[in-house]
Amino acid sequence: MYAAIFNLEGTANKIVADTEARYECSLKNAQALVADIQEESKPKILWANFFSGIGWSIAECPTPDKAYYCEYANHCGAEIISRPEGMGFSRQYGTPTIYWYVTDDEFLELAKDADTWIYPSKTFSGVYEEKKELLDQFKSVQNKNVYDTQGQGPNGWFEQRLAEYDVVALDMCSLVGTNNPDVIHRRRWFRNYFDEPIGSSGSCDVNGGEIEEAYEPAEANCILFNQIVENKEPDVEDEEPQPPEDQPATEDSTTTELTVESVNAASSTYAVTSLIVAGVSTFMF
């Protein structure tokens, strides 16, 4: 709708295509890196937060498409710790929706050995002070591998990240070690509670004309792992004869070149097109 209003349909389509290409790129990298890993050896993610006076809310992922965090974990080749059926207690708050929680003892039993803990809120500091004796028994806490969602400030996670689902995927894959190891990705959304300050989404200099500048999603870059391997200079003794220069390219080589180009294409447009992407992302997640 926004694209039609501003006559930017072509630009909007390019942004959507580039975002999808990066998302698919991180999926292929993760699949390549966990292909030979047994299911029980895959990295384990704890996705849980605490509600004062109630209990611990923990992920429920009976299938990868149950919730967005289930999809991200599966996308990155990780196992997300899920509340087993029959554990915990439920609450309803005037709606048909049932919310499940677990007690401190159940939470310890279920989640103490998780490699990485993502705490999807801004309240971990207070909870850690209150329950330090309990939480210090967790592997993720002992290794200072706890992340909240304040990488772009207290509120960005609930707003802007919807338009940057590809960057969220790259962030999660970096946490569990399934990003392309030859490419440095700086996390944008997940903030290490122990080692990193709360981030900020920054501000827009409207009077200075910044609102008219091209939209460029931060840290939105993905390169296929196998493509880097293929492009490395061969050893002299292993170098193969090259085909004549006038020999036409094969269908496979053309496809690879186009894929890499689409993955690395710069995502730029006028600021208004970010609204388009947000609309698409909200529908998807």
Side-chain angles (χ1 to χ4, degrees):
M1 181 180 69
Y2 294 106
I5 293 174
F6 293 94
N7 196 29
L8 291 170
E9 294 95 331
T11 305
N13 289 337
K14 182 180 184 301
I15 288 179
V16 171
D18 288 345
T19 304
E20 290 177 350
R22 287 189 293 269
Y23 188 74
E24 288 300 312
C25 171
S26 63
L27 171 62
K28 291 177 181 178
N29 285 341
Q31 288 175 335
L33 291 168
V34 301
D36 298 326
I37 297 178
Q38 298 296 320
E39 191 70 27
E40 61 271 14
S41 299
K42 288 185 177 181
K44 294 176 175 56
I45 297 176
L46 169 63
W47 184 284
N49 60 314
F50 182 74
F51 288 89
S52 182
I54 304 176
W56 294 94
S57 174
I58 191 168
E60 292 188 51
C61 298
T63 59
D65 58 355
K66 172 67 175 179
Y68 72 94
Y69 48 79
C70 308
E71 182 174 346
Y72 278 129
N74 183 69
H75 177 98
C76 295
E79 176 189 343
I80 196 162
I81 295 175
S82 185
R83 181 190 65 83
E85 186 175 354
M87 175 183 281
F89 56 95
S90 63
R91 293 283 187 273
Q92 286 180 273
Y93 302 99
T95 68
T97 304
I98 299 175
Y99 297 90
W100 284 90
Y101 306 92
V102 297
T103 65
D104 284 357
D105 290 340
E106 291 170 328
F107 187 53
L108 178 64
E109 175 190 351
L110 186 62
K112 65 180 180 180
D113 294 324
D115 301 301
T116 302
W117 183 357
I118 297 178
Y119 189 92
S121 179
K122 57 185 179 181
T123 62
F124 185 79
S125 180
V127 173
Y128 186 48
E129 289 181 12
E130 178 185 347
K131 297 181 176 292
K132 190 174 187 304
E133 184 176 349
L134 168 72
L135 299 184
D136 279 346
Q137 300 177 63
F138 283 62
K139 178 181 177 181
S140 55
V141 175
Q142 294 168 0
N143 294 337
K144 296 186 177 181
N145 210 20
V146 179
Y147 301 83
D148 63 19
T149 51
Q150 297 190 86
Q152 291 298 298
N155 302 313
W157 175 257
F158 304 100
E159 301 166 353
Q160 187 179 350
R161 61 98 179 170
L162 294 172
E164 298 182 7
Y165 66 90
D166 57 324
V167 183
V168 176
L170 288 165
D171 274 15
M172 182 173 284
C173 291
S174 73
L175 292 183
V176 298
T178 56
N179 265 357
N180 188 332
D182 295 318
V183 177
I184 296 176
H185 173 74
R186 295 177 176 82
R187 282 176 285 98
R188 175 168 169 80
W189 293 105
F190 298 126
R191 191 245 343 184
N192 187 294
Y193 167 77
F194 293 101
D195 299 328
E196 297 170 352
I198 295 173
S200 170
S201 58
S203 59
C204 179
D205 183 7
V206 177
N207 295 330
E210 188 174 354
I211 197 171
E212 299 294 337
E213 293 181 4
Y215 169 70
E216 296 182 3
E219 304 304 330
N221 181 42
C222 183
I223 300 176
L224 291 172
F225 173 59
N226 59 356
Q227 186 62 34
I228 286 184
V229 174
E230 291 171 2
N231 288 339
K232 286 183 178 179
E233 291 291 335
D235 294 334
V236 174
E237 59 270 21
D238 296 332
E239 191 169 347
E240 298 181 358
Q242 297 299 311
E245 292 184 1
D246 59 348
Q247 180 174 327
T250 64
E251 182 178 350
D252 287 344
S253 64
T254 302
T255 302
T256 300
E257 181 179 352
L258 291 174
T259 301
V260 175
E261 180 181 351
S262 65
V263 168
N264 292 301
S267 298
S268 61
T269 185
Y270 297 105
V272 67
T273 54
S274 63
L275 297 173
I276 302 163
V277 181
V280 173
S281 300
T282 303
F283 173 77
M284 295 180 65
F285 295 95

